[in-house]
Amino acid sequence: MINSRTLFQTITLVLLLVFAQAMLNAQGETSGTASIIGTVLDPAGSPIPQATVVAKNQASGAVKTATSGSDGKFAVTGLPAGVYSIDVAASGFSVDVRNSVKISSGVATTIPIRMQVANLNQTVTVEAAVTMAVEAAPSQSSLEAKSAESVISSTYISNFISQTGDYSDVLQMSPGTFSVSPNGPGLGDTKTFFRGFKDGTYNMTFDGLPFNDTNDPTHHSWVWFPQPFIGSTVFDRSPGDATSIGPSNAGGSINILSKELTVDPSILGTISYGSFNTRMLSLDYNSGLFGGLNKKNNIWLNIHNLSSDGYQTYNNQDRWAGSAKYQFRFTDKTVLTAYTGVVDLAANTPNVKGPTRAMVAQFGDNYLLNNNPNDPLYYKFNFYQIPTDFEYVGLHSDLGHGWRLEEKVYSNRYYNHQQYNNGTSITATSATDKLNSYRKYGDSFNIIQESKYGTFRAGLWYERANTDRFQTPTDPRTWIDLLTPNFHEKFITQSTQPFAQYEYRVTRRFIVTGGFKMSNYNVHLLQYSDNGKTIGCIGGVVTAGLCKGGLDFVTHTANYRAWQPTFDARYRLQNNWSLYSQWTTGNIIPPSSVFDVKNGAVGVIPKPTQTKTFQFGSIYKTNRFTLDADAYFIRAGNAYSSAPDPATGEPVYYATADTHTKGFEVEGNAVLGKGFFVYGNATIGSAKYADTLLWVASSPHDTQTAGLTYLHKNWDIGFFNKRIGQMYNDNGSKNQAVPIDPFNITNLFINYTIKQASFLRGTKFRVGINNLFDKHNIVGVTPASANSNAPNPGDFLSLMAGRSVAVSMTFGIAPKR
C-alpha cells in the first residue's frame, strides 16, 4: 500500500521544492501592438457590464482577457497580430463565440457583441467560466443569483478532487455540506447532507435532467457520474424557482453539468496508482471542431477503468465506464446535442451498517469482511453488480423575435442485483437475493421569450419509470433462492410537471420573478404475495416460509399532486454588488413503502410533504475578492408515520412534526498575489423538530472551510480543510440520541501541467492526498439497543477512511494549430 508516513512526506517535500523553483523562475509575457474593441449588448440593446471577453491566439494558444465596463465597452490590448477566437461570457447569457478573427499590428479591430439569454444549464456553465476568468475561485455565487447557490468550477473539479471520486466529493467543500466515504474517495456509495436535509429530500440533475431512485427519490454517487464525467456543478441550496424540475426539490438541487466541448483537438491518457492498491486508466478525446469549412461537428469522450481493494477489508471495487458527448450545429441558431454515459460497477460491499465497536477494537477501524468461509462476514457471501446508463438528445433553437426552443428527450437505467449474507449466521435462509431495477423515459420541454420587458419561460417535464424490486431469502453457500420472497413489487410511475414563469425587469437594476408549477405523480403498484415479512400471503397460508394458496398479487394506484408557487426579487446596487430575496416552495413524493403493510391495504394515502423557504442574500465582487452571504429560514414537513385504525386495523398515515431550519452562510475568495488565492466558507444554524426542539439527525451546528490555492502558469496547487461541528444521530425513533464529535476533512492536491508552448500540451503530473492528517473519527453511530444510548460493543460505526495518496500522470497529445 502507498500509505506510509515516510512516502507521504517524501512526495510532498519533493513536489513543494519543485513548486518553489517554478515560482522563482516565473517570467513575464511579451506585449504586442494590436487590439480588439467592442460593446457587449443584451437582446434589447442595453449594455452588459462585467462581461468577460477572452481572446485566444489560434496559432500559439496564448490567452488574454478583458472585462466590459458599465457602458458595456471592452478592449483587449497588447495582442500580437494573428488569428484569434473570441469568447464572450456574462452571467445569465449564452456564451458568444467568434472564430477566425484576424487582427493586424497597429489596428484596433471592432467587434460588436449581442448576447442571448441562456437557459439554466448554459447559465451555470457561463458563470463557472466567468468565475475562473476573474477570480479563479473554487466556488462562488453569481451576480445574477436569485437564491443561495455555489457554482463549482471545472478547474476545481479537475484539479482539486480525487480522480476516483464522484459528485459527493465535488460538493464536499461547499457551505454547510458534508459526506464521508468509509472506504475511500469514490470507493463506496456516499450520502450528502446539508441544511438538515438528507439524500432523498433534494433533487439531482445532469445537464438539467433529474435522476433518482423510483421507490424513494434517493441517489447513488458511485454508479451515476464519476469525476471523469463531470464538467462543472451548480449547487442550489433552495427549492429553486418554477423551472426547477424533479420529484424532491424540498431541500434544493444539485445540478451537474457534462464536460464542455473544446475548439481544439486533444488526446489525454491518464495512469493513476494510489493507496489501497487503487489503479485507474483513463482516456479522454476531444475532436475539436471538424467537418469541412463550416466545422459543424464536435465530439468529446472518456473511457476509464478503476479497480481498488478499498480501505475496508475485502471491500473491493472494479468499475468500467464510458461517456460521450456529440454536438452538431445545423446553423448558428440551431444546435443538436447528444450524450451517453455508461457505468458497470462490481463490488462486494455488504448490506451491513458498518463494523461494530467490538470488531473495530479487535481488528482495527478498517475491518468490514474477512476470508473465513465459516464466518457470516466471509467476503464471498457479499457481492453485487450495478450497470447504469444515462443518455439524452437535446435540441436548442433560436426561433427569432426573442423566442427560443429547448427540448431534451432522455432515458436512463439502474440495475442493482445484490446478494449478501446477514452477517450474524450461516443458514439456508440467512442470505438475501436482492434486485432494485428501473428504466426511465422522459422529456423536458422549454419555450423562452425574451423582450425588453423581461423573460417568459414555460414548459413541461414528463417521465415514465418501470420498476422491478424484490428480496428473496437464499442460502449463501449455494445461492439457491426460496420460492417465496420477503417482498416483490413492480410498479409504473408517471411524473408530470408543467410550469410557467415570468421575469420582469422593473428597471435595469431591479428584477422580480414569479412563477408556479404543478407537481403531479401517479403510481400504479403491483405487489406479490410473500412470506409474511411485507404484505403476507394474500388469502393464503404461510407454511415453512412458503405462501400456499390465495392471490398472486394485489394492485394499487395513488395520485400525488402539489401546487408550488415561487417568487424572488433581485437588485443590482452596483455593477459588482447584487441583493436577492426569495420565497419558494418544495415537495417530496411519498415512497412506495407506504404500501408495505399487510395485504397492501392502505386506508388513507399520505400527501406529499412540503417545504416553505425564505432566504435573502448578497453577492459582492471586485478584482481582488468575492463575497457571498445568505440567511435562510425553512419550515419543512417530515415523512409520514402510520398507526392501525382501531376500527378496521388498516394503517392510517399522519404527518409528524415539522422541522424549523434556520442559519447563515458565507463564502468568499481573495487574491493574495503572485498566483496565491485564499478561499473560505462558514455556516452556523440549526435544524430542529418544531414540537420537541430536538436536533434533526446529521445536521451540524456549524461548519468551516479554509482553502489556499496557487494557480500560476503550469502549477495548480490546493490545500483544503473542512471542519464539521457537533451533530447528532437518532436511535430508532429517538431524536438527538447519539452525539457525534466535530471532525476535519483535509485534502492536498499538487498539479503540474505542460501548457501552450509544447507539442505535449496537456501533459500533467499530479499528486493527491485525501485525509492528509490520517484522522479516524467516528462520523456515524447506529446503537445496538433502542433502550440505551451508552456506547455498546454491538454499536455499528461509520468511520473516516485512512489517509490515501494517489499519483497520476496524464500524457497529452494536442499539437499547436
Side-chain angles (χ1 to χ4, degrees):
M1 294 184 179
I2 305 179
N3 61 354
S4 70
R5 191 174 302 276
T6 300
L7 179 58
F8 153 66
Q9 292 174 340
T10 301
I11 291 174
T12 304
L13 178 60
V14 170
L15 287 172
L16 285 175
L17 287 173
V18 174
F19 150 61
Q21 183 64 41
M23 288 193 297
L24 292 174
N25 293 335
Q27 297 179 355
E29 295 181 357
T30 59
S31 300
T33 58
S35 61
I36 298 173
I37 62 175
T39 304
V40 184
L41 304 174
D42 66 17
S46 300
I48 301 177
Q50 297 296 310
T52 297
V53 183
V54 180
K56 180 179 180 181
N57 189 298
Q58 294 184 341
S60 68
V63 173
K64 296 202 73 172
T65 64
T67 303
S68 63
S70 59
D71 55 1
K73 294 182 178 180
F74 68 90
V76 187
T77 60
L79 298 173
V83 179
Y84 286 78
S85 63
I86 312 297
D87 290 1
V88 183
S91 296
F93 297 89
S94 300
V95 177
D96 189 287
V97 180
R98 307 292 177 91
N99 291 313
S100 302
V101 177
K102 187 176 181 179
I103 66 172
S104 303
S105 179
V107 176
T109 302
T110 302
I111 302 179
I113 304 293
R114 183 68 65 97
M115 306 290 282
Q116 298 296 320
V117 175
N119 62 13
L120 169 65
N121 299 333
Q122 292 170 320
T123 301
V124 171
T125 305
V126 171
E127 289 169 351
V130 171
T131 297
M132 285 305 304
V134 179
E135 301 291 349
S139 170
Q140 66 177 300
S141 189
S142 159
L143 287 167
E144 300 298 322
K146 58 179 70 175
S147 64
E149 67 176 22
S150 293
V151 179
I152 303 167
S153 70
S154 59
T155 299
Y156 173 82
I157 294 171
S158 62
N159 289 320
F160 300 138
I161 72 167
S162 171
Q163 289 178 297
T164 65
D166 51 45
Y167 56 71
S168 64
D169 296 278
V170 172
L171 304 170
Q172 184 69 270
M173 297 297 166
S174 300
T177 307
F178 78 95
S179 62
V180 176
S181 175
N183 201 37
L187 303 179
D189 193 9
T190 60
K191 301 300 179 184
T192 298
F193 301 86
F194 63 92
R195 285 190 175 185
F197 290 101
K198 63 180 181 179
D199 190 26
T201 59
Y202 50 80
N203 277 341
M204 294 199 72
T205 70
F206 185 81
D207 280 356
L209 302 172
F211 66 96
N212 57 273
D213 273 3
T214 51
N215 57 305
D216 64 49
T218 54
H219 311 88
H220 301 281
S221 62
W222 60 343
V223 291
W224 278 112
F225 301 107
Q227 188 264 8
F229 288 8
I230 301 174
S232 56
T233 298
V234 63
F235 181 15
D236 186 352
R237 297 182 298 280
S238 83
D241 61 20
T243 66
S244 301
I245 59 175
S248 56
N249 69 330
S253 294
I254 298 169
N255 303 299
I256 306 168
L257 299 176
S258 60
K259 297 274 190 176
E260 282 293 293
L261 300 176
T262 62
V263 174
D264 299 323
S266 65
I267 300 175
L268 301 174
T270 299
I271 301 173
S272 177
Y273 184 76
S275 301
F276 327 136
N277 195 28
T278 302
R279 304 171 301 279
M280 185 170 175
L281 299 175
S282 181
L283 176 67
D284 281 271
Y285 170 71
N286 286 280
S287 69
L289 294 172
F290 71 95
L293 295 176
N294 295 324
K295 296 186 176 181
K296 296 183 176 182
N297 300 272
N298 209 336
I299 295 175
W300 165 84
L301 64 87
N302 168 268
I303 301 172
H304 71 266
N305 170 244
L306 167 70
S307 63
S308 177
D309 294 342
Y311 175 68
Q312 296 173 310
T313 56
Y314 294 98
N315 191 0
N316 305 330
Q317 181 186 148
D318 188 75
R319 181 178 77 205
W320 287 91
S323 181
K325 183 177 179 180
Y326 169 74
Q327 195 168 85
F328 177 77
R329 292 182 175 272
F330 292 98
T331 66
D332 290 339
K333 295 184 177 182
T334 302
V335 180
L336 177 75
T337 303
Y339 174 88
T340 183
V342 179
V343 177
D344 189 7
L345 182 142
N348 54 315
T349 306
N351 196 54
V352 297
K353 300 173 184 177
T356 65
R357 290 185 190 272
M359 292 173 182
V360 170
Q362 182 177 1
F363 303 111
D365 68 359
N366 68 329
Y367 180 79
L368 191 66
L369 296 171
N370 59 54
N371 193 25
N372 182 0
N374 299 315
D375 193 293
L377 290 173
Y378 180 42
Y379 78 95
K380 290 188 177 180
F381 290 164
N382 299 273
F383 55 90
Y384 57 103
Q385 193 91 9
I386 312 178
T388 65
D389 63 75
F390 188 100
E391 46 273 327
Y392 71 81
V393 176
L395 183 68
H396 172 90
S397 183
D398 184 341
L399 304 177
H401 303 289
W403 288 92
R404 288 189 294 117
L405 171 70
E406 296 165 359
E407 185 168 20
K408 290 181 180 177
V409 179
Y410 68 95
S411 176
N412 58 70
R413 173 182 182 250
Y414 177 78
Y415 190 90
N416 179 355
H417 188 197
Q418 184 177 9
Q419 293 171 296
Y420 59 88
N421 197 40
N422 62 19
T424 59
S425 62
I426 303 174
T427 70
T429 58
S430 64
T432 300
D433 184 1
K434 174 183 176 181
L435 177 68
N436 180 17
S437 67
Y438 50 84
R439 165 65 75 180
K440 294 184 177 183
Y441 305 91
D443 180 82
S444 174
F445 172 82
N446 291 264
I447 190 75
I448 301 102
Q449 199 274 329
E450 172 77 14
S451 71
K452 64 180 180 179
Y453 302 107
T455 303
F456 171 73
R457 300 175 189 266
L460 173 69
W461 170 57
Y462 171 79
E463 181 179 273
R464 175 189 171 101
N466 300 319
T467 303
D468 186 8
R469 303 176 66 237
F470 65 73
Q471 291 184 18
T472 304
T474 187
D475 189 331
R477 297 160 297 192
T478 63
W479 298 112
I480 297 176
D481 291 356
L482 288 185
L483 295 178
T484 304
N486 291 332
F487 86 89
H488 186 192
E489 63 185 13
K490 296 181 179 180
F491 55 92
I492 297 172
T493 306
Q494 296 190 83
S495 307
T496 308
Q497 285 185 359
F499 62 85
Q501 177 175 287
Y502 192 75
E503 182 179 277
Y504 176 58
R505 296 190 181 99
V506 182
T507 68
R508 192 168 71 83
R509 293 184 177 272
F510 183 47
I511 298 174
V512 296
T513 304
F516 69 89
K517 68 181 170 191
M518 184 186 73
S519 298
N520 186 60
Y521 304 92
N522 175 272
V523 181
H524 182 73
L525 187 75
L526 184 152
Q527 290 183 295
Y528 291 86
S529 288
D530 58 41
N531 57 18
K533 185 174 181 179
T534 306
I535 68 168
C537 184
I538 306 167
V541 178
V542 176
T543 304
L546 301 177
C547 176
K548 298 182 179 180
L551 301 176
D552 290 334
F553 58 85
V554 293
T555 59
H556 306 279
T557 298
N559 289 289
Y560 307 110
R561 179 173 295 175
W563 288 92
Q564 295 181 254
T566 65
F567 178 82
D568 63 76
R570 61 186 188 271
Y571 183 73
R572 187 71 70 90
L573 285 170
Q574 299 176 9
N575 289 337
N576 62 338
W577 187 8
S578 66
L579 303 174
Y580 66 82
S581 63
Q582 180 193 51
W583 178 85
T584 185
T585 56
N587 87 119
I588 311 169
I589 61 171
S592 65
S593 60
V594 301
F595 292 100
D596 292 346
V597 294
K598 185 178 180 180
N599 296 326
V602 179
V604 178
I605 304 296
K607 297 179 181 179
T609 54
Q610 296 198 0
T611 59
K612 295 181 180 179
T613 298
F614 173 74
Q615 56 187 348
F616 60 91
S618 173
I619 302 103
Y620 184 73
K621 300 179 185 295
T622 72
N623 289 332
R624 303 296 298 176
F625 70 91
T626 68
L627 183 64
D628 316 322
D630 68 87
Y632 60 89
F633 175 79
I634 305 169
R635 180 167 185 155
N638 281 304
Y640 281 75
S641 294
S642 66
D645 186 298
T648 64
E650 294 181 352
V652 176
Y653 284 83
Y654 60 92
T656 56
D658 289 350
T659 60
H660 289 173
T661 303
K662 56 187 176 181
F664 177 78
E665 302 168 330
V666 62
E667 179 178 31
N669 191 65
V671 180
L672 299 181
K674 297 189 181 299
F676 285 96
F677 300 81
V678 61
Y679 168 81
N681 65 57
T683 66
I684 185 169
S686 65
K688 297 182 178 181
Y689 294 97
D691 56 347
T692 63
L693 299 183
L694 297 177
W695 282 80
V696 175
S698 300
S699 53
H701 171 266
D702 59 278
T703 70
Q704 302 86 32
T705 301
L708 178 66
T709 59
Y710 177 76
L711 311 173
H712 185 67
K713 294 193 178 293
N714 303 83
W715 292 96
D716 299 284
I717 301 174
F719 171 87
F720 296 90
N721 182 80
K722 180 70 170 277
R723 179 188 176 274
I724 310 299
Q726 187 177 55
M727 59 184 177
Y728 297 90
N729 284 176
D730 293 342
N731 186 357
S733 61
K734 298 177 182 177
N735 305 123
Q736 196 176 317
V738 182
I740 304 296
D741 292 334
F743 58 93
N744 288 270
I745 302 168
T746 308
N747 302 327
L748 172 67
F749 295 93
I750 303 172
N751 305 268
Y752 180 85
T753 307
I754 297 174
K755 295 188 176 178
Q756 290 92 345
S758 172
F759 176 83
L760 295 178
R761 178 162 50 100
T763 297
K764 185 175 185 177
F765 303 93
R766 188 178 197 223
V767 175
I769 308 173
N770 286 79
N771 191 5
L772 177 67
F773 299 115
D774 200 24
K775 300 293 185 179
H776 297 261
N777 296 72
I778 296 173
V779 297
V781 178
T782 302
S785 170
N787 299 319
S788 174
N789 300 323
N792 186 298
D795 294 344
F796 289 100
L797 304 180
S798 179
L799 300 140
M800 291 181 65
R803 178 171 56 228
S804 61
V805 181
V807 179
S808 68
M809 294 174 288
T810 298
F811 301 97
I813 302 176
K816 295 183 296 182
R817 294 199 305 165

